[in-house]
Amino acid sequence: MSQRLLPDDRIAEPRAAASVLLAAGTAAPSPARAHGTTTARRRYAVVVTAALGLATFAAAAWHIAVGGSLIPMLDVAASLLGMAPDARTELVVLEFRAPRTAAAVLAGVALGTAGALTQTVARNPLASPDVLGITNGAAFGAVGVTVLAGSAGGVSGAAAAFGMPAAAAVTGFAAAALVFLLAWKGGLESNRVIIVGLGVGGLAAALTTWMLTLGSVQDAGKALTWMSGTINGRDWNQIAPLWPIILVGVCAALASRRGLNMIALNPDTAVALGLRINVTRVWILSLATLLAVAATVLAGPVAFVALASPQIARMMTRGTIPPVPAAALVGALFLLLADLLAARTFEVALPAGVATAVIGAPYLMYLVIRQQRRRTA
């Protein structure tokens, strides 16, 4: 089935680009020169990804070191290696700050990877789990438990360990399944998925707002704080069930590299190359859903990380599609720096989601304006 390409898709059409060059009378590059260019581009991407890894490691170390009091880096390293200089430093590093840092890294990696998968399948830089309604669906379930369970609710009550994660997972996957079913018309066409996702996300947001009116003011306040996206107060017990899920999801995304590269082509070309395009789309979007739900359970519906990270990674690596490893690292770095900015800059600590929204909202407007200009050019 033929599909109209969006402006950004032109860069992912090597055959179409070659046809344009030949039609314009421009000589196509020789195979040896093209191979050398591809190899140089891959090496450049590897170097950029390694630099992002070092930057993320440095940001994580700084995230642990700063706080109510500054802990020297050597003491941080010694505490993480089990050789803390004193009991207080060990308690602060291992029980208070390290879990928060680990939550930021895991949630950022999950959101960055989920965004890269979604944008590649949708072939649109505006697509992300936020836009497709997955995070709003997960938030609906989590807020429902928080509000309806009262004192045993999902933020600080007895249901915190299982109630909120379970409800968020169920409603997140239910929202994704609803999007797939409503958008299915002999296959999953990318623009139709985005439009249906916007509708399902809006419905979930409306139901969440209605749910807040049913609970007490105190429960609604807790739910609103969580909905803004925060990693404050995360502990190892909350991280333990989620890190294996995120690790498996990221590994599966890396293993799906061939399918991602092929699905970025024109659908007719991908099918001609032997790709089962609808099966691949469902598989990759399911992975994105799994990662987005896990990140939402861990840090709440943090806005714009999944939207911005893949495109930042694509621009930094000069790739044609968002690379999964770089997008994951940019997501982790984005959330670490956003949490530092929100929690350590002002007298009153703010949720990390506030900082990501402040940074991400202008970026979203920039993307919309850029796409509109390309369409009218």
Side-chain angles (χ1 to χ4, degrees), residues 11 76 172 335:
I11 59 177
V76 171
L335 197 48

Side-chain angles (χ1 to χ4, degrees), residues 201-293:
L203 175 63
L207 290 175
T208 303
T209 303
W210 170 71
M211 191 74 70
L212 289 173
T213 65
L214 301 179
S216 66
V217 174
Q218 185 179 8
D219 291 334
K222 293 177 182 176
L224 286 172
T225 301
W226 180 83
M227 286 175 62
S228 63
T230 179
I231 52 174
N232 185 26
R234 294 296 176 268
D235 57 40
W236 295 118
N237 292 330
Q238 294 170 307
I239 295 173
L242 294 171
W243 74 262
I245 297 174
I246 295 174
L247 178 62
V248 170
V250 172
C251 290
L254 293 172
S256 304
R257 177 185 174 187
R258 180 175 178 273
L260 286 169
N261 289 333
M262 292 179 69
I263 209 169
L265 301 172
N266 180 282
D268 294 337
T269 305
V271 172
L273 292 174
L275 181 70
R276 300 173 64 187
I277 192 165
N278 286 327
V279 174
T280 306
R281 282 173 172 167
V282 170
W283 163 247
I284 292 176
L285 288 177
S286 298
L287 281 180
T289 302
L290 176 71
L291 291 167
V293 169

Side-chain angles (χ1 to χ4, degrees), residues 3-329:
Q3 181 179 2
R4 187 173 67 85
L5 297 181
L6 294 173
D8 279 352
D9 296 329
R10 294 169 188 165
I11 59 177
E13 284 294 326
R15 294 189 176 186
S19 300
V20 171
L21 288 173
L22 292 174
T26 304
S30 66
R33 183 179 177 185
H35 177 72
T37 302
T38 302
T39 303
R41 183 175 296 174
R42 286 177 179 172
R43 288 176 179 170
Y44 178 78
V46 169
V47 171
V48 171
T49 304
L52 284 171
L54 291 175
T56 303
F57 179 79
W62 182 248
H63 193 270
I64 295 176
V66 301
S69 59
L70 181 64
I71 299 177
M73 285 291 184
L74 290 178
D75 290 349
V76 171
S79 299
L80 293 176
L81 295 173
M83 298 179 288
D86 54 68
R88 177 186 173 278
T89 302
E90 181 180 13
L91 177 67
V92 171
V93 170
L94 298 183
E95 299 300 327
F96 298 150
R97 297 187 186 178
R100 180 172 182 154
T101 303
V105 171
L106 288 170
V109 165
L111 290 173
T113 305
L117 298 178
T118 308
Q119 292 179 4
T120 302
V121 172
R123 307 173 70 201
N124 193 319
L126 290 173
S128 73
D130 312 343
V131 175
L132 299 186
I134 297 171
T135 51
N136 280 346
F140 169 66
V143 171
V145 171
T146 302
V147 172
L148 298 180
S151 60
V155 172
S156 59
F162 301 103
M164 189 176 70
V170 168
T171 52
F173 278 104
L178 184 60
V179 171
F180 294 168
L181 288 174
L182 294 177
W184 186 273
K185 193 175 182 181
L188 285 177
E189 195 273 324
S190 58
N191 289 341
R192 194 163 56 241
V193 171
I194 293 175
I195 293 172
V196 173
L198 286 170
V200 171
L203 175 63
L207 290 175
T208 303
T209 303
W210 170 71
M211 191 74 70
L212 289 173
T213 65
L214 301 179
S216 66
V217 174
Q218 185 179 8
D219 291 334
K222 293 177 182 176
L224 286 172
T225 301
W226 180 83
M227 286 175 62
S228 63
T230 179
I231 52 174
N232 185 26
R234 294 296 176 268
D235 57 40
W236 295 118
N237 292 330
Q238 294 170 307
I239 295 173
L242 294 171
W243 74 262
I245 297 174
I246 295 174
L247 178 62
V248 170
V250 172
C251 290
L254 293 172
S256 304
R257 177 185 174 187
R258 180 175 178 273
L260 286 169
N261 289 333
M262 292 179 69
I263 209 169
L265 301 172
N266 180 282
D268 294 337
T269 305
V271 172
L273 292 174
L275 181 70
R276 300 173 64 187
I277 192 165
N278 286 327
V279 174
T280 306
R281 282 173 172 167
V282 170
W283 163 247
I284 292 176
L285 288 177
S286 298
L287 281 180
T289 302
L290 176 71
L291 291 167
V293 169
T296 304
V297 170
L298 186 59
V302 183
F304 295 112
V305 176
L307 176 73
S309 300
Q311 291 305 309
I312 294 173
R314 186 183 68 81
M315 288 186 285
M316 293 181 68
T317 57
R318 301 175 185 172
T320 54
I321 62 173
V324 169
L329 291 171

Side-chain angles (χ1 to χ4, degrees), residues 290-375:
L290 176 71
L291 291 167
V293 169
T296 304
V297 170
L298 186 59
V302 183
F304 295 112
V305 176
L307 176 73
S309 300
Q311 291 305 309
I312 294 173
R314 186 183 68 81
M315 288 186 285
M316 293 181 68
T317 57
R318 301 175 185 172
T320 54
I321 62 173
V324 169
L329 291 171
V330 171
L333 188 59
F334 190 0
L335 197 48
L336 282 169
L337 297 179
D339 188 53
L340 282 173
L341 178 66
R344 309 302 181 199
T345 305
F346 307 100
E347 292 186 2
V348 178
L350 299 174
V354 175
T356 61
V358 170
I359 299 170
Y363 173 75
L364 177 61
M365 289 188 285
Y366 160 74
L367 280 180
V368 172
I369 293 172
R370 191 181 68 169
Q371 282 216 347
Q372 186 63 32
R373 285 179 177 174
R374 287 189 175 185
R375 286 178 178 175

